[in-house]
Amino acid sequence: MISPHGELSASPARAALEHQESGPLRGRILAQYQKWKGTHYLWGGTSHRGVDCSALMQHLFSDAANLSLPRTTGEQIGRGVQVAEYGLKAGDLLFFQTGPNRRHVGVYIGDHQFIHASSSQGVTVSTLANNYWHSHFITARRVAGEAS
């Protein structure tokens, strides 16, 4: 489990259970998160000097799953297969409508949590239980075949 401060905090038993439930993709995504955690948000940014949400997903999936994602949320939302919110698994992309013509993307890591590049906090972990994220959620897409 990830604390509100972005730290990994799971008992060995819970970690083993989560590994069984979510497979190796979750662990690889979390390892990549540790490399990006705290990176500042920059619209159009693609590096550790500043990154936006869709570029972060490109990096996480390239490095964790050897999967190439398109550059923008508009292109990413068309990839994979749609997943119902109750059927989410680690590695699923989550999409949010954050403005009239603005979308946001993150990656689900289990336990109602997701990694994303927040415009106010940089690369961080947030929860779908938060009213803002829950009310702006529009769809989830499974893009990695082993997201299980």
Side-chain angles (χ1 to χ4, degrees):
M1 184 172 187
I2 304 226
S3 74
H5 304 292
E7 303 298 324
L8 297 175
S9 61
S11 70
R14 181 175 172 110
L17 176 63
E18 287 181 353
H19 179 77
Q20 288 174 349
E21 290 176 349
S22 61
L25 180 58
R26 180 181 187 274
R28 293 194 307 268
I29 289 172
L30 289 174
Q32 291 305 313
Y33 166 69
Q34 291 302 318
K35 297 176 183 179
W36 286 91
K37 180 174 75 172
T39 300
H40 294 289
Y41 178 88
L42 176 64
W43 188 80
T46 61
S47 73
H48 286 279
R49 290 185 301 250
V51 68
D52 67 18
C53 61
S54 56
L56 177 65
M57 295 305 108
Q58 280 188 308
H59 285 290
L60 293 181
F61 277 86
S62 175
D63 296 342
N66 198 27
L67 180 69
S68 179
L69 288 177
R71 175 64 186 91
T72 68
T73 56
E75 295 167 318
Q76 290 176 4
I77 201 169
R79 288 295 170 100
V81 295
Q82 188 169 5
V83 179
E85 192 173 353
Y86 63 82
L88 290 173
K89 294 182 180 180
D92 291 343
L93 289 176
L94 306 178
F95 293 89
F96 305 89
Q97 191 75 42
T98 56
N101 297 309
R102 197 167 162 95
R103 290 191 205 127
H104 186 68
V105 63
V107 61
Y108 189 70
I109 57 171
D111 199 28
H112 304 287
Q113 297 180 314
F114 64 100
I115 295 167
H116 64 121
S118 162
S119 59
S120 61
Q121 299 174 9
V123 176
T124 190
V125 172
S126 294
T127 178
L128 283 170
N130 175 290
N131 285 338
Y132 177 83
W133 293 116
H134 191 261
S135 66
H136 288 82
F137 175 80
I138 53 173
T139 192
R141 309 289 295 183
R142 185 157 299 149
V143 295
E146 70 174 285
S148 58

